[in-house]
């Protein structure tokens, strides 16, 4: 297993994440709808909206996933935030970064992963909208495009939340 490198802009990325004030908040229908759509469109049993904190991966939304967070060190999404586009792992058992990852070696472990970064307007990649399967596979061009669009919608919701909070704090 190869531990994901830390992005060069990590302190600024974390500052942008914390400004959202979204970590450890309750589930919200708008995000749950996006993960359900991602799983449906990509024909995968699981999907999550993950946010990469300093030492953990926290799930804002989960579709058929029981965990609410995992260690950043074993996170597929921590690798995905280093990419400019959708990060795919067609068969995790054949990828040196993940072949001995506990999520892969577990019974009914992860075989397929595709994650589209949740990038702010400033370019900070806070996490991903990802889909996961227990069998190796690939996504079609249309499915990849849909995953990117859904991740854009998730990021738009985060930014809308940030703007509303700024307006509420502004002097009147």
């Amino acid at each position: 297993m190869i531990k994901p490198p830390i992005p060069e802009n990590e302190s600024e990325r974390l500052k942008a994440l914390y400004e959202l004030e979204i970590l450890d908040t309750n589930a919200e229908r708008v995000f749950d709808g996006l993960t359900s759509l991602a799983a449906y469109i990509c024909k995968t049993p699981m999907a999550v909206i993950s946010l990469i904190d300093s030492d953990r991966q926290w799930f804002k939304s989960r579709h058929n996933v029981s965990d609410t967070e995992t260690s950043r060190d074993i996170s597929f999404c921590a690798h995905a935030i280093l990419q400019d586009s959708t990060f795919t792992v067609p068969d995790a058992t054949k990828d040196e970064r993940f072949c001995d990852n506990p999520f892969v070696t577990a019974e009914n472990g992860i075989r397929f992963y595709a994650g589209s970064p949740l990038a702010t307007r400033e370019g900070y990649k806070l996490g991903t909208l990802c889909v996961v399967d227990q069998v190796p596979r690939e996504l079609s061009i249309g499915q990849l495009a849909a995953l990117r669009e859904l991740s854009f919608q998730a990021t738009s919701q985060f930014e809308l939340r940030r703007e509303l909070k700024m307006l509420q704090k502004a002097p009147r």
Side-chain angles (χ1 to χ4, degrees):
M1 184 178 78
I2 297 175
K3 192 171 151 182
I6 301 296
E8 289 181 20
N9 64 352
E10 181 69 354
S11 61
E12 296 89 353
R13 189 191 73 76
L14 287 172
K15 182 177 185 275
L17 174 62
Y18 299 149
E19 284 175 355
L20 291 176
E21 298 177 10
I22 200 164
L23 290 172
D24 302 309
T25 58
N26 292 328
E28 295 177 57
R29 186 168 183 247
V30 66
F31 297 111
D32 292 345
L34 294 173
T35 53
S36 293
L37 274 171
Y40 176 78
I41 291 167
C42 295
K43 299 180 179 6
T44 60
M46 297 168 274
V48 299
I49 292 175
S50 72
L51 297 169
I52 305 299
D53 199 354
S54 60
D55 60 351
R56 68 180 173 147
Q57 162 181 251
W58 179 76
F59 302 139
K60 175 59 183 164
S61 177
R62 305 169 288 139
H63 179 80
N64 288 331
V65 172
S66 57
D67 292 330
T68 58
E69 65 181 58
T70 69
S71 168
R72 180 176 179 167
D73 290 346
I74 58 173
S75 164
F76 282 66
C77 298
H79 287 272
I81 66 168
L82 302 170
Q83 310 301 315
D84 290 326
S85 62
T86 304
F87 176 66
T88 60
V89 180
D91 185 347
T93 64
K94 296 180 178 169
D95 189 308
E96 68 178 3
R97 293 168 292 194
F98 305 108
C99 61
D100 57 352
N101 182 300
F103 293 123
V104 175
T105 60
E107 186 176 342
N108 297 316
I110 293 173
R111 295 297 174 267
F112 169 78
Y113 171 92
S116 185
L118 302 171
T120 66
R121 278 181 241 154
E122 299 82 20
Y124 300 118
K125 296 173 193 134
L126 307 179
T128 69
L129 173 57
C130 68
V131 292
V132 178
D133 204 338
Q134 296 161 322
V135 295
R137 58 177 307 161
E138 292 194 27
L139 296 180
S140 70
I141 292 170
Q143 289 170 320
L144 288 167
L147 191 60
R148 283 190 301 273
E149 184 56 35
L150 291 170
S151 76
F152 173 79
Q153 293 302 321
T155 305
S156 296
Q157 288 294 321
F158 291 150
E159 290 184 337
L160 179 60
R161 168 190 297 256
R162 180 176 59 183
E163 290 170 17
L164 286 172
K165 286 185 184 221
M166 287 172 43
L167 285 173
Q168 290 170 347
K169 292 178 182 178
R172 295 180 185 227

